[in-house]
Amino acid sequence: DAGITQSPRYKITETGRQVTLMCHQTWSHSYMFWYRQDLGHGLRLIYYSAAADITDKGEVPDGYVVSRSKTENFPLTLESATRSQTSVYFCASSPTGKNTEAFFGQGTRLTVV
Amino acid sequence: DQQVKQNSPSLSVQEGRISILNCDYTNSMFDYFLWYKKYPAEGPTFLISISSIKDKNEDGRFTVFLNKSAKHLSLHIVPSQPGDSAVYFCAASFNNAGNMLTFGGGTRLMVKP
């Protein structure tokens, strides 16, 4: 399917476990982003990537790791999940890095118990 | 401290009437402002934007107004339709750069038939 897809859509994990959220886009967009959405905070940028093998921190990177070995994939890993990481996670991609040209995935709802 | 705030968590409007969603920001360095629309279980979608060199931008039923001196922007939807019912996020950035996007907490708009 064309577009940007996230998997899984829902995930429950235990505190201390490692969990990886997947993001895949079919447009070959250079830029990809990971956000988390928490009530009252809107979306906050975790990490972003301008191209394969280039990643950089956003506003709230602590506790997260990303990689981008291929242009189309941008996985987000929580190395040791904490309850404060319970959130809805959105991946986005953009051909130019501009916000007006960004497309978001459907989100992954992660619950850490 | 939130740099972008949407002080109304929800708004209810009758179909056909005007919807006005408000947003305030504190950082005077922001020079590009966006509105996103989000339906349940979907990612946000870009709706309309405005550069700080303008005070109004219109796209069909949607108009965004920017008051730089008051650090305030608003989204007007005229006429409102039931399909407009969604959460609306205001966001601010520097140069429309995706890695510099700060979101407000969102306003849930309900348009009643």
Side-chain angles (χ1 to χ4, degrees), chain A residues 9-10 33 35 37-45 48 59 90 97-107, chain B residues 2 32 34 36 38 41-46 49 87 89 93 95-106:
Chain A
R9 292 294 311 277
Y10 303 91
F33 307 88
Y35 293 90
Q37 182 194 1
D38 302 296
L39 195 64
H41 284 279
L43 281 75
R44 290 180 292 176
L45 183 64
Y48 67 98
E59 181 185 353
F90 289 99
K98 292 182 179 179
N99 300 305
T100 47
E101 299 170 357
F103 296 88
F104 285 80
Q106 292 177 299
Chain B
Q2 283 190 288
Y32 207 90
L34 306 94
Y36 291 83
K38 185 185 177 306
E42 294 185 12
T45 56
F46 167 68
S49 64
V87 176
F89 290 100
S93 77
N95 291 326
N96 195 14
N99 62 329
M100 300 284 190
L101 193 60
T102 302
F103 282 84

Side-chain angles (χ1 to χ4, degrees), chain A residues 60-98:
Chain A
V60 288
D62 293 344
Y64 303 95
V65 174
V66 293
S67 62
R68 191 144 179 230
S69 57
K70 292 184 178 181
T71 300
E72 61 266 31
N73 296 323
F74 192 37
L76 176 73
T77 298
L78 289 68
E79 293 192 304
S80 179
T82 65
R83 289 201 177 96
S84 65
Q85 292 177 308
T86 292
S87 187
V88 180
Y89 291 83
F90 289 99
C91 176
S93 72
S94 168
T96 60
K98 292 182 179 179

Side-chain angles (χ1 to χ4, degrees), chain B residues 71-103:
Chain B
K71 296 191 181 67
H72 177 85
L73 64 155
S74 61
L75 175 68
H76 293 209
I77 306 173
V78 183
S80 301
Q81 299 173 354
D84 296 329
S85 297
V87 176
Y88 289 80
F89 290 100
C90 166
S93 77
F94 307 98
N95 291 326
N96 195 14
N99 62 329
M100 300 284 190
L101 193 60
T102 302
F103 282 84

Side-chain angles (χ1 to χ4, degrees), chain A residues 1-6 23-32 68 71-74 91-94 103:
Chain A
D1 289 337
I4 182 166
T5 54
Q6 294 183 232
C23 180
H24 175 77
Q25 52 106 354
T26 61
W27 296 301
S28 298
H29 286 171
S30 294
Y31 288 80
M32 296 188 75
R68 191 144 179 230
T71 300
E72 61 266 31
N73 296 323
F74 192 37
C91 176
S93 72
S94 168
F103 296 88

